Amino acid sequence: DWVSLDIDSRKNQFSVNGLSLANDSVPNYLNLFRNTKPLPNVTASFAPLQSDGILSFSFDDYDVFEQNRKRYLSLPPTKDPLFNAVEEVGLVYDKGERAVILNTIGSDRIADFLAGKQKSATDYQGSIIQEISNNDFLNTAFRPLVQNFEAKFSTVLDNTFVFSQKIEVLQTIISNFKNGTTFDQNPSYNAAANNMSSAATIQLVWTSDHTEQFLKENFIPDLYKNLKDPKFSGYVFTGQVVADGDFFLTNISAQKIAKKTRVRSVGSIFTVAFEDALANDPQFVTNHVTKNKEIVVQDQKNVLFLISNDGKILWKKPLGGKIQGKIQQVDLFKNGRLQLAFTTNDQLIVLDRNGKEVVMLTKTYQGGNLNPLAVFDYDGKREYRLVVTQGSKIYMYDRKGKIVRGFKFKKSEQPIMGAPKHIVIGNKDYLVFKLADGNLKILSRTGEVRINIREKIDFSGNEVLRYKNQFSVTDKKGMLNQINTNGKITKTNLDLHQDHGIDATDNIFVYMNDNVLSIKGTKITLDLGVYTHPKIFYRYDKIYVTVTDIQNQKVYLFDSQAKPISNFPVYGSSMIDLDDMDGDKKLELVTKEGDQSLMVYHIE
């Protein structure tokens, strides 16, 4: 009915503080909480780190709140003990989706109620997600705090019940909660918390970049229009109301967050669930229209999926077999439009942007047993060479799908292992083929021998890499074999087990041996587990090294000095891909999450 506020206006912060009064004889929103006391708000500790905003309501006495609610809505004063243990109702806003959180002191009644409404249940990272019927019960029980919300899925974290309209929202919440990457760890939230009470009857926090849905649902149109102004970019907005007898203490602020405060956070931004288990590791590909990244992954029924950078499945393409190795991107027509190129067990396939086959480069091979596709672009002029190897046979195609007649290496003495490599040292091109008998073929563009290697190598399962301007590969005895351009071999005993993994750039060599990761000679002992091969990424002038413990489902990320990146490890069950997915100069990583999901994390 009236509000008295003091205004504090500074360069990068605006706040108002004071008192509000509500007449208890007429319906008033604040009177929902009359004669209650606030409790410490916990919604932020369940919301994902990258959430757009949160809205929380707390009260020390549910019965008093319920009486106030019935009076406010002009409903008969009936009693239902179902939600007696609820102390806080929270709403989480994230990318156009909402979740509702009921924090309780422990309630078997709610658990029993949900069990009676259960349609199905799935295990997700050790938490049970229930699909439930009668989706309107939260609107009925907590209106006007919760409105227009279908509670289709639920889970329990500690003594807190979490509800969502989509299962992926709950998966994201569970993943962030278990990784400790929650909204209360967000630097913007922590900066704003300095001006907030730890216990509030009503608490809201949101960032200026994500105001639209939040303001439209909860505030008058004029406020929404004003706060959309670009000059509020980089601000965090907070509001609190604290019930105190007949008074309501009010605190509202807008605070600009320094850029250095908004870094070094990691959070799950979306999860995509599939009907069938995934057959390979997800990877990023470029959308040539937007220049952003999308995700490709294949399931065990050989269906290939293309997924947008906000988690939507754009198309799916049934294939005749599992994709071998990594999917390559090519611009066959030199018009800026990219295609996906790969081999399955018995086919070379090239797909356009919409998942349609490029007929001139879709070929079938009798007998199958193809290696992963190799794509060479010698001079960066898009005059591609697509190399398919099948046993001892080598097929080299140009970008029009024609056999390259000038390439003389049509058949090897022994079967070829893995995809051939194109390595440049100095100003010369070298085409590298590993053979099953231990021979290493290093050829010219025309397929003639460029370097003679007289000694055989008992190859490990790793690729031939360029390191220190030499051809570098390990053998099954854990020796590093380095071959210079004159064919001289230098051996270094790294004392590696047979199933070790390596990766290298010209100046950095890394290996994974059991649970020991070595980066440029610095060794890190990780927890016991089953680890993937390490992978090096170079993004925005910085080196990252990653490895995944697939047994314990942990993704590790380090810099070139072997220092762990903040907030890692995170949950994941495959090798990752790492890139800037949406062009904001901040990185995302994609990994499998269990058998039937993939997850994307944002690294800020």
Side-chain angles (χ1 to χ4, degrees):
D1 293 298
W2 64 263
V3 180
S4 176
L5 301 172
D6 290 333
I7 298 174
D8 184 1
S9 181
R10 306 180 187 183
K11 181 178 180 181
N12 291 320
Q13 183 175 352
F14 175 85
S15 61
V16 292
N17 300 274
L19 295 175
S20 303
L21 276 180
N23 190 326
D24 64 355
S25 62
V26 296
N28 189 296
Y29 195 88
L30 289 184
N31 281 332
L32 289 165
F33 309 98
R34 180 175 289 275
N35 298 322
T36 68
K37 294 180 180 179
L39 298 171
N41 305 86
V42 302
T43 296
S45 64
F46 293 93
L49 182 74
Q50 302 297 331
S51 297
D52 304 339
I54 61 166
L55 177 59
S56 165
F57 307 91
S58 76
F59 36 80
D60 66 333
D61 192 325
Y62 172 82
D63 287 336
V64 173
F65 163 76
E66 180 63 4
Q67 291 172 19
N68 292 338
R69 193 181 76 90
K70 294 286 179 63
R71 187 181 304 114
Y72 177 82
L73 297 172
S74 301
L75 297 174
T78 56
K79 279 195 174 184
D80 183 350
L82 176 59
F83 296 107
N84 274 357
V86 174
E87 296 183 324
E88 181 177 348
V89 180
L91 288 92
V92 176
Y93 294 81
D94 190 17
K95 297 175 186 62
E97 301 294 337
R98 288 182 298 164
V100 173
I101 290 171
L102 300 184
N103 185 43
T104 73
I105 56 176
S107 175
D108 291 335
R109 288 194 184 101
I110 299 177
D112 292 342
F113 170 80
L114 294 175
K117 303 296 181 185
Q118 179 176 303
K119 295 168 64 177
S120 64
T122 57
D123 184 289
Y124 185 83
Q125 296 188 19
S127 294
I128 300 300
I129 296 178
Q130 294 177 294
E131 183 180 7
I132 50 182
S133 58
N134 185 21
N135 310 133
D136 197 49
F137 64 92
L138 289 179
N139 297 323
T140 302
F142 293 101
R143 184 166 59 96
L145 309 187
V146 179
Q147 299 186 83
N148 303 315
F149 183 84
E150 290 186 89
K152 292 183 177 180
F153 299 93
S154 72
T155 193
V156 183
L157 300 173
D158 294 340
N159 286 322
T160 299
F161 294 85
V162 188
F163 303 88
S164 69
Q165 299 179 114
K166 294 183 178 179
I167 192 171
E168 292 84 1
V169 175
L170 273 195
Q171 290 172 335
T172 299
I173 288 173
I174 291 170
S175 176
N176 280 274
F177 182 79
K178 291 183 181 292
N179 286 329
T181 51
T182 48
F183 196 61
D184 59 344
Q185 303 300 312
N186 188 305
S188 295
Y189 178 88
N190 286 322
N194 294 327
N195 300 310
M196 295 192 297
S197 170
S198 61
T201 303
I202 304 174
Q203 180 187 76
L204 59 92
V205 183
W206 79 94
T207 63
S208 60
D209 298 327
H210 305 287
T211 58
E212 186 165 346
Q213 180 197 11
F214 194 78
L215 292 176
K216 281 184 175 180
E217 287 187 7
N218 297 290
F219 294 94
I220 60 175
D222 284 348
L223 186 63
Y224 162 65
K225 292 176 183 177
N226 288 331
L227 291 182
K228 278 193 70 176
D229 194 301
K231 67 173 174 275
F232 283 108
S233 178
Y235 276 76
V236 60
F237 299 94
T238 63
Q240 286 190 317
V241 174
V242 178
D244 186 6
D246 294 336
F247 294 93
F248 296 91
L249 306 177
T250 303
N251 175 12
I252 301 170
S253 73
Q255 178 181 351
K256 187 158 188 158
I257 304 300
K259 287 185 179 179
K260 64 180 181 180
T261 306
R262 298 180 300 204
V263 298
R264 297 183 182 178
S265 59
V266 178
S268 169
I269 53 177
F270 66 77
T271 300
V272 181
F274 300 87
E275 293 181 0
D276 297 288
L278 298 179
N280 58 7
D281 298 339
Q283 71 175 82
F284 288 123
V285 293
T286 301
N287 178 328
H288 60 253
V289 178
T290 65
K291 308 304 180 185
N292 292 332
K293 299 297 178 183
E294 294 170 338
I295 301 165
V296 285
V297 72
Q298 186 184 29
D299 70 15
Q300 290 190 354
K301 288 187 176 178
N302 298 326
V303 177
L304 179 65
F305 296 84
L306 180 69
I307 299 158
S308 70
N309 63 7
D310 58 359
K312 294 182 175 62
I313 294 176
L314 300 175
W315 53 253
K316 49 188 177 180
K317 170 79 173 179
L319 301 175
K322 181 183 176 182
I323 293 172
Q324 305 298 306
K326 190 174 181 180
I327 295 175
Q328 311 282 342
Q329 280 195 282
V330 291
D331 179 6
L332 295 177
F333 304 102
K334 295 187 176 184
N335 58 5
R337 297 179 180 179
L338 300 177
Q339 298 84 37
L340 306 176
F342 52 88
T343 55
T344 63
N345 178 63
D346 63 353
Q347 281 192 304
L348 166 64
I349 299 175
V350 178
L351 302 178
D352 69 11
R353 162 80 194 147
N354 299 310
K356 296 181 180 179
E357 293 182 7
V358 178
V359 177
M360 66 184 187
L361 268 164
T362 297
K363 302 177 184 294
T364 301
Y365 303 81
Q366 292 297 322
N369 196 34
L370 300 184
N371 285 316
L373 175 68
V375 176
F376 304 154
D377 184 12
Y378 298 127
D379 301 311
K381 296 180 179 179
R382 295 175 288 181
E383 288 294 342
Y384 301 102
R385 298 293 184 258
L386 284 75
V387 185
V388 177
T389 53
Q390 181 189 33
S392 301
K393 299 176 183 177
I394 300 100
Y395 305 90
M396 179 179 280
Y397 302 98
D398 64 19
R399 64 185 180 86
K400 296 180 181 179
K402 305 295 184 182
I403 288 288
V404 177
R405 299 298 176 189
F407 187 71
K408 300 176 181 178
F409 189 54
K410 309 289 186 182
K411 189 173 183 179
S412 60
E413 312 91 84
Q414 291 286 323
I416 295 166
M417 300 171 61
K421 297 289 293 288
H422 171 224
I423 293 176
V424 178
I425 296 178
N427 60 354
K428 292 184 178 180
D429 296 290
Y430 300 87
L431 308 187
V432 183
F433 295 76
K434 290 194 309 180
L435 303 189
D437 65 350
N439 272 312
L440 187 65
K441 294 282 189 180
I442 302 181
L443 311 177
S444 67
R445 287 189 188 185
T446 60
E448 298 174 321
V449 174
R450 175 153 268 178
I451 299 176
N452 278 306
I453 302 172
R454 296 183 176 88
E455 185 177 337
K456 292 184 178 181
I457 301 170
D458 190 10
F459 297 116
S460 68
N462 293 279
E463 296 180 343
V464 180
L465 303 167
R466 173 180 148 175
Y467 174 57
K468 299 293 186 182
N469 277 330
Q470 298 182 84
F471 305 94
S472 303
V473 65
T474 53
D475 60 32
K476 291 179 181 177
K477 293 182 179 179
M479 302 284 289
L480 174 64
N481 299 262
Q482 291 185 275
I483 303 141
N484 66 18
T485 53
N486 295 318
K488 180 182 177 181
I489 299 180
T490 302
K491 294 180 179 287
T492 304
N493 187 2
L494 299 178
D495 195 25
L496 303 178
H497 294 165
Q498 184 171 329
D499 59 352
H500 66 273
I502 67 170
D503 198 9
T505 66
D506 200 40
N507 296 306
I508 297 176
F509 183 82
V510 302
Y511 68 74
M512 190 74 211
N513 188 42
D514 283 345
N515 63 319
V516 176
L517 175 64
S518 174
I519 302 174
K520 294 171 62 177
T522 300
K523 295 181 179 179
I524 309 153
T525 301
L526 303 177
D527 294 339
L528 292 174
V530 178
Y531 287 88
T532 64
H533 287 194
K535 179 68 177 173
I536 299 172
F537 293 96
Y538 183 65
R539 300 289 184 265
Y540 294 128
D541 299 322
K542 185 173 181 178
I543 293 288
Y544 297 89
V545 179
T546 180
V547 68
T548 299
D549 177 358
I550 56 176
Q551 176 176 295
N552 298 301
Q553 302 188 78
K554 292 181 179 179
V555 174
Y556 293 85
L557 193 64
F558 299 87
D559 65 17
S560 60
Q561 304 305 311
K563 294 180 180 178
I565 303 300
S566 298
N567 298 311
F568 279 86
V570 297
Y571 190 89
S573 56
S574 73
M575 292 183 70
I576 72 165
D577 202 358
L578 181 72
D579 218 322
D580 177 2
M581 192 167 64
D582 49 11
D584 62 356
K585 302 295 183 181
K586 299 169 185 176
L587 298 179
E588 283 80 25
L589 73 83
V590 61
T591 179
K592 283 170 63 176
E593 188 284 312
D595 292 329
Q596 293 180 238
S597 300
L598 65 79
M599 181 178 297
V600 174
Y601 290 93
H602 177 79
I603 305 172
E604 188 169 354

